[in-house]
Amino acid sequence: MYYSRKRPLEDLPEEITAIWSCPGASCNGWMRDNFTFSIAPVCSQCQSEMVKSERMLATVVNTSPNQLKK
Ligand SMILES: [Zn+2]
């Protein structure tokens, strides 16, 4: 076992993750870019066309079948 806890804030590794973000000022909808969209997806909350963005997110193990076959 390898437990290295230098700094509590680094328990979860973070990485810059591609996301889709809603441009709506009153809407904070966003989604991970886990899917391959040929066109921009629309926000599930306000149906705005989402824009590509980036976010620092904790790295997660993606269990989506699409991600497993690379
Ligand atoms: Zn929205």
mmCIF file with all atom_site columns, all heavy atoms in Angstrom, residues 34-61:
data_model
loop_
_atom_site.group_PDB
_atom_site.id
_atom_site.type_symbol
_atom_site.label_atom_id
_atom_site.label_alt_id
_atom_site.label_comp_id
_atom_site.label_asym_id
_atom_site.label_entity_id
_atom_site.label_seq_id
_atom_site.pdbx_PDB_ins_code
_atom_site.Cartn_x
_atom_site.Cartn_y
_atom_site.Cartn_z
_atom_site.occupancy
_atom_site.B_iso_or_equiv
_atom_site.pdbx_formal_charge
_atom_site.auth_seq_id
_atom_site.auth_comp_id
_atom_site.auth_asym_id
_atom_site.auth_atom_id
_atom_site.pdbx_PDB_model_num
ATOM 1   N N   . ASN A 1 34 ? -17.392 13.919 -21.714 1.00 0.00 ? 34 ASN A N   1
ATOM 2   C CA  . ASN A 1 34 ? -17.136 12.484 -21.746 1.00 0.00 ? 34 ASN A CA  1
ATOM 3   C C   . ASN A 1 34 ? -17.637 11.837 -23.027 1.00 0.00 ? 34 ASN A C   1
ATOM 4   O O   . ASN A 1 34 ? -17.327 10.704 -23.325 1.00 0.00 ? 34 ASN A O   1
ATOM 5   C CB  . ASN A 1 34 ? -17.815 11.795 -20.564 1.00 0.00 ? 34 ASN A CB  1
ATOM 6   C CG  . ASN A 1 34 ? -17.008 11.969 -19.293 1.00 0.00 ? 34 ASN A CG  1
ATOM 7   O OD1 . ASN A 1 34 ? -15.857 12.377 -19.346 1.00 0.00 ? 34 ASN A OD1 1
ATOM 8   N ND2 . ASN A 1 34 ? -17.613 11.681 -18.173 1.00 0.00 ? 34 ASN A ND2 1
ATOM 9   N N   . PHE A 1 35 ? -18.421 12.570 -23.731 1.00 0.00 ? 35 PHE A N   1
ATOM 10  C CA  . PHE A 1 35 ? -19.014 12.014 -24.937 1.00 0.00 ? 35 PHE A CA  1
ATOM 11  C C   . PHE A 1 35 ? -18.437 12.732 -26.143 1.00 0.00 ? 35 PHE A C   1
ATOM 12  O O   . PHE A 1 35 ? -18.036 13.871 -26.050 1.00 0.00 ? 35 PHE A O   1
ATOM 13  C CB  . PHE A 1 35 ? -20.529 12.193 -24.892 1.00 0.00 ? 35 PHE A CB  1
ATOM 14  C CG  . PHE A 1 35 ? -21.125 11.824 -23.584 1.00 0.00 ? 35 PHE A CG  1
ATOM 15  C CD1 . PHE A 1 35 ? -21.358 12.792 -22.621 1.00 0.00 ? 35 PHE A CD1 1
ATOM 16  C CD2 . PHE A 1 35 ? -21.443 10.513 -23.302 1.00 0.00 ? 35 PHE A CD2 1
ATOM 17  C CE1 . PHE A 1 35 ? -21.891 12.457 -21.401 1.00 0.00 ? 35 PHE A CE1 1
ATOM 18  C CE2 . PHE A 1 35 ? -21.980 10.177 -22.073 1.00 0.00 ? 35 PHE A CE2 1
ATOM 19  C CZ  . PHE A 1 35 ? -22.200 11.143 -21.112 1.00 0.00 ? 35 PHE A CZ  1
ATOM 20  N N   . THR A 1 36 ? -18.436 12.046 -27.216 1.00 0.00 ? 36 THR A N   1
ATOM 21  C CA  . THR A 1 36 ? -17.944 12.679 -28.429 1.00 0.00 ? 36 THR A CA  1
ATOM 22  C C   . THR A 1 36 ? -19.124 13.286 -29.165 1.00 0.00 ? 36 THR A C   1
ATOM 23  O O   . THR A 1 36 ? -19.941 12.583 -29.739 1.00 0.00 ? 36 THR A O   1
ATOM 24  C CB  . THR A 1 36 ? -17.240 11.657 -29.323 1.00 0.00 ? 36 THR A CB  1
ATOM 25  O OG1 . THR A 1 36 ? -16.214 11.039 -28.563 1.00 0.00 ? 36 THR A OG1 1
ATOM 26  C CG2 . THR A 1 36 ? -16.652 12.326 -30.547 1.00 0.00 ? 36 THR A CG2 1
ATOM 27  N N   . PHE A 1 37 ? -19.202 14.579 -29.091 1.00 0.00 ? 37 PHE A N   1
ATOM 28  C CA  . PHE A 1 37 ? -20.262 15.272 -29.801 1.00 0.00 ? 37 PHE A CA  1
ATOM 29  C C   . PHE A 1 37 ? -19.712 15.807 -31.112 1.00 0.00 ? 37 PHE A C   1
ATOM 30  O O   . PHE A 1 37 ? -18.659 16.408 -31.146 1.00 0.00 ? 37 PHE A O   1
ATOM 31  C CB  . PHE A 1 37 ? -20.784 16.457 -28.985 1.00 0.00 ? 37 PHE A CB  1
ATOM 32  C CG  . PHE A 1 37 ? -21.547 16.042 -27.768 1.00 0.00 ? 37 PHE A CG  1
ATOM 33  C CD1 . PHE A 1 37 ? -20.965 16.108 -26.520 1.00 0.00 ? 37 PHE A CD1 1
ATOM 34  C CD2 . PHE A 1 37 ? -22.852 15.604 -27.890 1.00 0.00 ? 37 PHE A CD2 1
ATOM 35  C CE1 . PHE A 1 37 ? -21.675 15.731 -25.392 1.00 0.00 ? 37 PHE A CE1 1
ATOM 36  C CE2 . PHE A 1 37 ? -23.561 15.225 -26.760 1.00 0.00 ? 37 PHE A CE2 1
ATOM 37  C CZ  . PHE A 1 37 ? -22.973 15.286 -25.509 1.00 0.00 ? 37 PHE A CZ  1
ATOM 38  N N   . SER A 1 38 ? -20.442 15.575 -32.164 1.00 0.00 ? 38 SER A N   1
ATOM 39  C CA  . SER A 1 38 ? -20.024 16.177 -33.428 1.00 0.00 ? 38 SER A CA  1
ATOM 40  C C   . SER A 1 38 ? -20.477 17.625 -33.482 1.00 0.00 ? 38 SER A C   1
ATOM 41  O O   . SER A 1 38 ? -19.910 18.443 -34.182 1.00 0.00 ? 38 SER A O   1
ATOM 42  C CB  . SER A 1 38 ? -20.611 15.398 -34.599 1.00 0.00 ? 38 SER A CB  1
ATOM 43  O OG  . SER A 1 38 ? -22.002 15.269 -34.433 1.00 0.00 ? 38 SER A OG  1
ATOM 44  N N   . ILE A 1 39 ? -21.518 17.931 -32.729 1.00 0.00 ? 39 ILE A N   1
ATOM 45  C CA  . ILE A 1 39 ? -21.954 19.316 -32.612 1.00 0.00 ? 39 ILE A CA  1
ATOM 46  C C   . ILE A 1 39 ? -22.051 19.640 -31.138 1.00 0.00 ? 39 ILE A C   1
ATOM 47  O O   . ILE A 1 39 ? -22.046 18.741 -30.296 1.00 0.00 ? 39 ILE A O   1
ATOM 48  C CB  . ILE A 1 39 ? -23.329 19.554 -33.283 1.00 0.00 ? 39 ILE A CB  1
ATOM 49  C CG1 . ILE A 1 39 ? -24.362 18.594 -32.690 1.00 0.00 ? 39 ILE A CG1 1
ATOM 50  C CG2 . ILE A 1 39 ? -23.223 19.396 -34.792 1.00 0.00 ? 39 ILE A CG2 1
ATOM 51  C CD1 . ILE A 1 39 ? -25.762 18.901 -33.115 1.00 0.00 ? 39 ILE A CD1 1
ATOM 52  N N   . ALA A 1 40 ? -22.141 20.925 -30.828 1.00 0.00 ? 40 ALA A N   1
ATOM 53  C CA  . ALA A 1 40 ? -22.232 21.308 -29.433 1.00 0.00 ? 40 ALA A CA  1
ATOM 54  C C   . ALA A 1 40 ? -23.540 20.804 -28.847 1.00 0.00 ? 40 ALA A C   1
ATOM 55  O O   . ALA A 1 40 ? -24.593 20.940 -29.464 1.00 0.00 ? 40 ALA A O   1
ATOM 56  C CB  . ALA A 1 40 ? -22.153 22.825 -29.312 1.00 0.00 ? 40 ALA A CB  1
ATOM 57  N N   . PRO A 1 41 ? -23.469 20.228 -27.665 1.00 0.00 ? 41 PRO A N   1
ATOM 58  C CA  . PRO A 1 41 ? -24.704 19.778 -27.018 1.00 0.00 ? 41 PRO A CA  1
ATOM 59  C C   . PRO A 1 41 ? -25.483 20.974 -26.492 1.00 0.00 ? 41 PRO A C   1
ATOM 60  O O   . PRO A 1 41 ? -24.946 22.071 -26.375 1.00 0.00 ? 41 PRO A O   1
ATOM 61  C CB  . PRO A 1 41 ? -24.194 18.915 -25.871 1.00 0.00 ? 41 PRO A CB  1
ATOM 62  C CG  . PRO A 1 41 ? -22.862 19.481 -25.544 1.00 0.00 ? 41 PRO A CG  1
ATOM 63  C CD  . PRO A 1 41 ? -22.285 19.977 -26.853 1.00 0.00 ? 41 PRO A CD  1
ATOM 64  N N   . VAL A 1 42 ? -26.735 20.753 -26.185 1.00 0.00 ? 42 VAL A N   1
ATOM 65  C CA  . VAL A 1 42 ? -27.525 21.825 -25.605 1.00 0.00 ? 42 VAL A CA  1
ATOM 66  C C   . VAL A 1 42 ? -27.673 21.582 -24.111 1.00 0.00 ? 42 VAL A C   1
ATOM 67  O O   . VAL A 1 42 ? -27.672 20.448 -23.645 1.00 0.00 ? 42 VAL A O   1
ATOM 68  C CB  . VAL A 1 42 ? -28.926 21.918 -26.255 1.00 0.00 ? 42 VAL A CB  1
ATOM 69  C CG1 . VAL A 1 42 ? -28.808 22.362 -27.703 1.00 0.00 ? 42 VAL A CG1 1
ATOM 70  C CG2 . VAL A 1 42 ? -29.656 20.602 -26.142 1.00 0.00 ? 42 VAL A CG2 1
ATOM 71  N N   . CYS A 1 43 ? -27.789 22.670 -23.402 1.00 0.00 ? 43 CYS A N   1
ATOM 72  C CA  . CYS A 1 43 ? -27.914 22.605 -21.957 1.00 0.00 ? 43 CYS A CA  1
ATOM 73  C C   . CYS A 1 43 ? -29.210 21.896 -21.597 1.00 0.00 ? 43 CYS A C   1
ATOM 74  O O   . CYS A 1 43 ? -30.262 22.178 -22.157 1.00 0.00 ? 43 CYS A O   1
ATOM 75  C CB  . CYS A 1 43 ? -27.905 24.015 -21.379 1.00 0.00 ? 43 CYS A CB  1
ATOM 76  S SG  . CYS A 1 43 ? -28.137 24.047 -19.602 1.00 0.00 ? 43 CYS A SG  1
ATOM 77  N N   . SER A 1 44 ? -29.117 20.973 -20.655 1.00 0.00 ? 44 SER A N   1
ATOM 78  C CA  . SER A 1 44 ? -30.318 20.226 -20.278 1.00 0.00 ? 44 SER A CA  1
ATOM 79  C C   . SER A 1 44 ? -31.263 21.087 -19.452 1.00 0.00 ? 44 SER A C   1
ATOM 80  O O   . SER A 1 44 ? -32.396 20.719 -19.227 1.00 0.00 ? 44 SER A O   1
ATOM 81  C CB  . SER A 1 44 ? -29.914 18.985 -19.483 1.00 0.00 ? 44 SER A CB  1
ATOM 82  O OG  . SER A 1 44 ? -29.187 19.357 -18.341 1.00 0.00 ? 44 SER A OG  1
ATOM 83  N N   . GLN A 1 45 ? -30.771 22.223 -18.987 1.00 0.00 ? 45 GLN A N   1
ATOM 84  C CA  . GLN A 1 45 ? -31.604 23.063 -18.133 1.00 0.00 ? 45 GLN A CA  1
ATOM 85  C C   . GLN A 1 45 ? -32.286 24.175 -18.909 1.00 0.00 ? 45 GLN A C   1
ATOM 86  O O   . GLN A 1 45 ? -33.420 24.536 -18.636 1.00 0.00 ? 45 GLN A O   1
ATOM 87  C CB  . GLN A 1 45 ? -30.755 23.665 -17.016 1.00 0.00 ? 45 GLN A CB  1
ATOM 88  C CG  . GLN A 1 45 ? -30.216 22.599 -16.080 1.00 0.00 ? 45 GLN A CG  1
ATOM 89  C CD  . GLN A 1 45 ? -29.355 23.205 -14.986 1.00 0.00 ? 45 GLN A CD  1
ATOM 90  O OE1 . GLN A 1 45 ? -29.755 24.167 -14.351 1.00 0.00 ? 45 GLN A OE1 1
ATOM 91  N NE2 . GLN A 1 45 ? -28.177 22.664 -14.786 1.00 0.00 ? 45 GLN A NE2 1
ATOM 92  N N   . CYS A 1 46 ? -31.571 24.776 -19.862 1.00 0.00 ? 46 CYS A N   1
ATOM 93  C CA  . CYS A 1 46 ? -32.161 25.924 -20.544 1.00 0.00 ? 46 CYS A CA  1
ATOM 94  C C   . CYS A 1 46 ? -32.066 25.805 -22.055 1.00 0.00 ? 46 CYS A C   1
ATOM 95  O O   . CYS A 1 46 ? -32.422 26.726 -22.771 1.00 0.00 ? 46 CYS A O   1
ATOM 96  C CB  . CYS A 1 46 ? -31.511 27.225 -20.064 1.00 0.00 ? 46 CYS A CB  1
ATOM 97  S SG  . CYS A 1 46 ? -29.793 27.381 -20.577 1.00 0.00 ? 46 CYS A SG  1
ATOM 98  N N   . GLN A 1 47 ? -31.572 24.691 -22.551 1.00 0.00 ? 47 GLN A N   1
ATOM 99  C CA  . GLN A 1 47 ? -31.537 24.433 -23.981 1.00 0.00 ? 47 GLN A CA  1
ATOM 100 C C   . GLN A 1 47 ? -30.664 25.408 -24.767 1.00 0.00 ? 47 GLN A C   1
ATOM 101 O O   . GLN A 1 47 ? -30.807 25.542 -25.967 1.00 0.00 ? 47 GLN A O   1
ATOM 102 C CB  . GLN A 1 47 ? -32.962 24.438 -24.577 1.00 0.00 ? 47 GLN A CB  1
ATOM 103 C CG  . GLN A 1 47 ? -33.604 23.052 -24.570 1.00 0.00 ? 47 GLN A CG  1
ATOM 104 C CD  . GLN A 1 47 ? -33.926 22.581 -23.175 1.00 0.00 ? 47 GLN A CD  1
ATOM 105 O OE1 . GLN A 1 47 ? -34.622 23.277 -22.456 1.00 0.00 ? 47 GLN A OE1 1
ATOM 106 N NE2 . GLN A 1 47 ? -33.409 21.455 -22.780 1.00 0.00 ? 47 GLN A NE2 1
ATOM 107 N N   . SER A 1 48 ? -29.755 26.081 -24.072 1.00 0.00 ? 48 SER A N   1
ATOM 108 C CA  . SER A 1 48 ? -28.802 26.908 -24.800 1.00 0.00 ? 48 SER A CA  1
ATOM 109 C C   . SER A 1 48 ? -27.736 26.017 -25.406 1.00 0.00 ? 48 SER A C   1
ATOM 110 O O   . SER A 1 48 ? -27.442 24.952 -24.878 1.00 0.00 ? 48 SER A O   1
ATOM 111 C CB  . SER A 1 48 ? -28.130 27.913 -23.854 1.00 0.00 ? 48 SER A CB  1
ATOM 112 O OG  . SER A 1 48 ? -29.070 28.812 -23.347 1.00 0.00 ? 48 SER A OG  1
ATOM 113 N N   . GLU A 1 49 ? -27.165 26.453 -26.499 1.00 0.00 ? 49 GLU A N   1
ATOM 114 C CA  . GLU A 1 49 ? -26.060 25.701 -27.066 1.00 0.00 ? 49 GLU A CA  1
ATOM 115 C C   . GLU A 1 49 ? -24.845 25.896 -26.182 1.00 0.00 ? 49 GLU A C   1
ATOM 116 O O   . GLU A 1 49 ? -24.455 27.023 -25.885 1.00 0.00 ? 49 GLU A O   1
ATOM 117 C CB  . GLU A 1 49 ? -25.775 26.197 -28.483 1.00 0.00 ? 49 GLU A CB  1
ATOM 118 C CG  . GLU A 1 49 ? -24.824 25.279 -29.217 1.00 0.00 ? 49 GLU A CG  1
ATOM 119 C CD  . GLU A 1 49 ? -24.704 25.669 -30.683 1.00 0.00 ? 49 GLU A CD  1
ATOM 120 O OE1 . GLU A 1 49 ? -25.692 25.481 -31.425 1.00 0.00 ? 49 GLU A OE1 1
ATOM 121 O OE2 . GLU A 1 49 ? -23.640 26.152 -31.067 1.00 0.00 ? 49 GLU A OE2 1
ATOM 122 N N   . MET A 1 50 ? -24.244 24.797 -25.784 1.00 0.00 ? 50 MET A N   1
ATOM 123 C CA  . MET A 1 50 ? -23.165 24.906 -24.810 1.00 0.00 ? 50 MET A CA  1
ATOM 124 C C   . MET A 1 50 ? -21.847 25.217 -25.508 1.00 0.00 ? 50 MET A C   1
ATOM 125 O O   . MET A 1 50 ? -21.670 24.957 -26.699 1.00 0.00 ? 50 MET A O   1
ATOM 126 C CB  . MET A 1 50 ? -23.070 23.603 -24.017 1.00 0.00 ? 50 MET A CB  1
ATOM 127 C CG  . MET A 1 50 ? -24.368 23.297 -23.308 1.00 0.00 ? 50 MET A CG  1
ATOM 128 S SD  . MET A 1 50 ? -24.270 21.865 -22.230 1.00 0.00 ? 50 MET A SD  1
ATOM 129 C CE  . MET A 1 50 ? -23.801 22.628 -20.694 1.00 0.00 ? 50 MET A CE  1
ATOM 130 N N   . VAL A 1 51 ? -20.940 25.763 -24.739 1.00 0.00 ? 51 VAL A N   1
ATOM 131 C CA  . VAL A 1 51 ? -19.641 26.128 -25.289 1.00 0.00 ? 51 VAL A CA  1
ATOM 132 C C   . VAL A 1 51 ? -18.554 25.303 -24.619 1.00 0.00 ? 51 VAL A C   1
ATOM 133 O O   . VAL A 1 51 ? -18.657 24.947 -23.445 1.00 0.00 ? 51 VAL A O   1
ATOM 134 C CB  . VAL A 1 51 ? -19.350 27.638 -25.072 1.00 0.00 ? 51 VAL A CB  1
ATOM 135 C CG1 . VAL A 1 51 ? -20.298 28.481 -25.888 1.00 0.00 ? 51 VAL A CG1 1
ATOM 136 C CG2 . VAL A 1 51 ? -19.404 28.002 -23.621 1.00 0.00 ? 51 VAL A CG2 1
ATOM 137 N N   . LYS A 1 52 ? -17.540 25.022 -25.383 1.00 0.00 ? 52 LYS A N   1
ATOM 138 C CA  . LYS A 1 52 ? -16.457 24.195 -24.864 1.00 0.00 ? 52 LYS A CA  1
ATOM 139 C C   . LYS A 1 52 ? -15.644 24.998 -23.857 1.00 0.00 ? 52 LYS A C   1
ATOM 140 O O   . LYS A 1 52 ? -15.353 26.166 -24.080 1.00 0.00 ? 52 LYS A O   1
ATOM 141 C CB  . LYS A 1 52 ? -15.552 23.757 -26.009 1.00 0.00 ? 52 LYS A CB  1
ATOM 142 C CG  . LYS A 1 52 ? -14.655 22.619 -25.634 1.00 0.00 ? 52 LYS A CG  1
ATOM 143 C CD  . LYS A 1 52 ? -14.833 21.458 -26.596 1.00 0.00 ? 52 LYS A CD  1
ATOM 144 C CE  . LYS A 1 52 ? -14.145 20.248 -26.032 1.00 0.00 ? 52 LYS A CE  1
ATOM 145 N NZ  . LYS A 1 52 ? -14.290 19.087 -26.874 1.00 0.00 ? 52 LYS A NZ  1
ATOM 146 N N   . SER A 1 53 ? -15.286 24.361 -22.778 1.00 0.00 ? 53 SER A N   1
ATOM 147 C CA  . SER A 1 53 ? -14.554 25.056 -21.745 1.00 0.00 ? 53 SER A CA  1
ATOM 148 C C   . SER A 1 53 ? -13.664 24.058 -21.014 1.00 0.00 ? 53 SER A C   1
ATOM 149 O O   . SER A 1 53 ? -13.592 22.889 -21.386 1.00 0.00 ? 53 SER A O   1
ATOM 150 C CB  . SER A 1 53 ? -15.534 25.732 -20.778 1.00 0.00 ? 53 SER A CB  1
ATOM 151 O OG  . SER A 1 53 ? -14.821 26.490 -19.842 1.00 0.00 ? 53 SER A OG  1
ATOM 152 N N   . GLU A 1 54 ? -13.005 24.550 -20.003 1.00 0.00 ? 54 GLU A N   1
ATOM 153 C CA  . GLU A 1 54 ? -12.139 23.679 -19.219 1.00 0.00 ? 54 GLU A CA  1
ATOM 154 C C   . GLU A 1 54 ? -12.360 23.951 -17.744 1.00 0.00 ? 54 GLU A C   1
ATOM 155 O O   . GLU A 1 54 ? -12.726 25.051 -17.360 1.00 0.00 ? 54 GLU A O   1
ATOM 156 C CB  . GLU A 1 54 ? -10.669 23.941 -19.541 1.00 0.00 ? 54 GLU A CB  1
ATOM 157 C CG  . GLU A 1 54 ? -10.268 23.495 -20.914 1.00 0.00 ? 54 GLU A CG  1
ATOM 158 C CD  . GLU A 1 54 ? -8.821  23.823 -21.171 1.00 0.00 ? 54 GLU A CD  1
ATOM 159 O OE1 . GLU A 1 54 ? -8.296  24.741 -20.521 1.00 0.00 ? 54 GLU A OE1 1
ATOM 160 O OE2 . GLU A 1 54 ? -8.220  23.158 -22.030 1.00 0.00 ? 54 GLU A OE2 1
ATOM 161 N N   . ARG A 1 55 ? -12.099 22.963 -16.943 1.00 0.00 ? 55 ARG A N   1
ATOM 162 C CA  . ARG A 1 55 ? -12.283 23.103 -15.523 1.00 0.00 ? 55 ARG A CA  1
ATOM 163 C C   . ARG A 1 55 ? -11.288 22.213 -14.810 1.00 0.00 ? 55 ARG A C   1
ATOM 164 O O   . ARG A 1 55 ? -10.940 21.143 -15.294 1.00 0.00 ? 55 ARG A O   1
ATOM 165 C CB  . ARG A 1 55 ? -13.679 22.626 -15.156 1.00 0.00 ? 55 ARG A CB  1
ATOM 166 C CG  . ARG A 1 55 ? -14.418 23.563 -14.267 1.00 0.00 ? 55 ARG A CG  1
ATOM 167 C CD  . ARG A 1 55 ? -15.794 23.008 -14.023 1.00 0.00 ? 55 ARG A CD  1
ATOM 168 N NE  . ARG A 1 55 ? -16.770 24.057 -14.276 1.00 0.00 ? 55 ARG A NE  1
ATOM 169 C CZ  . ARG A 1 55 ? -17.798 24.324 -13.468 1.00 0.00 ? 55 ARG A CZ  1
ATOM 170 N NH1 . ARG A 1 55 ? -18.029 23.561 -12.457 1.00 0.00 ? 55 ARG A NH1 1
ATOM 171 N NH2 . ARG A 1 55 ? -18.594 25.309 -13.721 1.00 0.00 ? 55 ARG A NH2 1
ATOM 172 N N   . MET A 1 56 ? -10.861 22.636 -13.643 1.00 0.00 ? 56 MET A N   1
ATOM 173 C CA  . MET A 1 56 ? -10.054 21.759 -12.814 1.00 0.00 ? 56 MET A CA  1
ATOM 174 C C   . MET A 1 56 ? -10.997 20.847 -12.058 1.00 0.00 ? 56 MET A C   1
ATOM 175 O O   . MET A 1 56 ? -11.784 21.291 -11.244 1.00 0.00 ? 56 MET A O   1
ATOM 176 C CB  . MET A 1 56 ? -9.220  22.582 -11.825 1.00 0.00 ? 56 MET A CB  1
ATOM 177 C CG  . MET A 1 56 ? -8.043  23.277 -12.472 1.00 0.00 ? 56 MET A CG  1
ATOM 178 S SD  . MET A 1 56 ? -6.811  22.128 -13.132 1.00 0.00 ? 56 MET A SD  1
ATOM 179 C CE  . MET A 1 56 ? -6.056  21.550 -11.623 1.00 0.00 ? 56 MET A CE  1
ATOM 180 N N   . LEU A 1 57 ? -10.911 19.573 -12.372 1.00 0.00 ? 57 LEU A N   1
ATOM 181 C CA  . LEU A 1 57 ? -11.814 18.630 -11.727 1.00 0.00 ? 57 LEU A CA  1
ATOM 182 C C   . LEU A 1 57 ? -11.014 17.495 -11.131 1.00 0.00 ? 57 LEU A C   1
ATOM 183 O O   . LEU A 1 57 ? -9.949  17.136 -11.632 1.00 0.00 ? 57 LEU A O   1
ATOM 184 C CB  . LEU A 1 57 ? -12.794 18.064 -12.759 1.00 0.00 ? 57 LEU A CB  1
ATOM 185 C CG  . LEU A 1 57 ? -13.827 19.033 -13.318 1.00 0.00 ? 57 LEU A CG  1
ATOM 186 C CD1 . LEU A 1 57 ? -14.625 18.344 -14.395 1.00 0.00 ? 57 LEU A CD1 1
ATOM 187 C CD2 . LEU A 1 57 ? -14.746 19.536 -12.230 1.00 0.00 ? 57 LEU A CD2 1
ATOM 188 N N   . ALA A 1 58 ? -11.541 16.958 -10.098 1.00 0.00 ? 58 ALA A N   1
ATOM 189 C CA  . ALA A 1 58 ? -10.902 15.781 -9.524  1.00 0.00 ? 58 ALA A CA  1
ATOM 190 C C   . ALA A 1 58 ? -10.944 14.653 -10.540 1.00 0.00 ? 58 ALA A C   1
ATOM 191 O O   . ALA A 1 58 ? -11.952 14.419 -11.184 1.00 0.00 ? 58 ALA A O   1
ATOM 192 C CB  . ALA A 1 58 ? -11.630 15.366 -8.247  1.00 0.00 ? 58 ALA A CB  1
ATOM 193 N N   . THR A 1 59 ? -9.836  14.014 -10.659 1.00 0.00 ? 59 THR A N   1
ATOM 194 C CA  . THR A 1 59 ? -9.771  12.899 -11.591 1.00 0.00 ? 59 THR A CA  1
ATOM 195 C C   . THR A 1 59 ? -10.651 11.772 -11.094 1.00 0.00 ? 59 THR A C   1
ATOM 196 O O   . THR A 1 59 ? -10.573 11.364 -9.943  1.00 0.00 ? 59 THR A O   1
ATOM 197 C CB  . THR A 1 59 ? -8.327  12.406 -11.716 1.00 0.00 ? 59 THR A CB  1
ATOM 198 O OG1 . THR A 1 59 ? -7.509  13.504 -12.033 1.00 0.00 ? 59 THR A OG1 1
ATOM 199 C CG2 . THR A 1 59 ? -8.207  11.359 -12.800 1.00 0.00 ? 59 THR A CG2 1
ATOM 200 N N   . VAL A 1 60 ? -11.493 11.294 -11.946 1.00 0.00 ? 60 VAL A N   1
ATOM 201 C CA  . VAL A 1 60 ? -12.364 10.193 -11.560 1.00 0.00 ? 60 VAL A CA  1
ATOM 202 C C   . VAL A 1 60 ? -12.141 9.028  -12.495 1.00 0.00 ? 60 VAL A C   1
ATOM 203 O O   . VAL A 1 60 ? -11.743 9.193  -13.635 1.00 0.00 ? 60 VAL A O   1
ATOM 204 C CB  . VAL A 1 60 ? -13.848 10.611 -11.591 1.00 0.00 ? 60 VAL A CB  1
ATOM 205 C CG1 . VAL A 1 60 ? -14.137 11.681 -10.571 1.00 0.00 ? 60 VAL A CG1 1
ATOM 206 C CG2 . VAL A 1 60 ? -14.228 11.070 -12.970 1.00 0.00 ? 60 VAL A CG2 1
ATOM 207 N N   . VAL A 1 61 ? -12.406 7.883  -11.977 1.00 0.00 ? 61 VAL A N   1
ATOM 208 C CA  . VAL A 1 61 ? -12.353 6.702  -12.826 1.00 0.00 ? 61 VAL A CA  1
ATOM 209 C C   . VAL A 1 61 ? -13.630 6.668  -13.639 1.00 0.00 ? 61 VAL A C   1
ATOM 210 O O   . VAL A 1 61 ? -14.722 6.622  -13.085 1.00 0.00 ? 61 VAL A O   1
ATOM 211 C CB  . VAL A 1 61 ? -12.219 5.429  -11.976 1.00 0.00 ? 61 VAL A CB  1
ATOM 212 C CG1 . VAL A 1 61 ? -12.240 4.202  -12.871 1.00 0.00 ? 61 VAL A CG1 1
ATOM 213 C CG2 . VAL A 1 61 ? -10.959 5.474  -11.156 1.00 0.00 ? 61 VAL A CG2 1
#
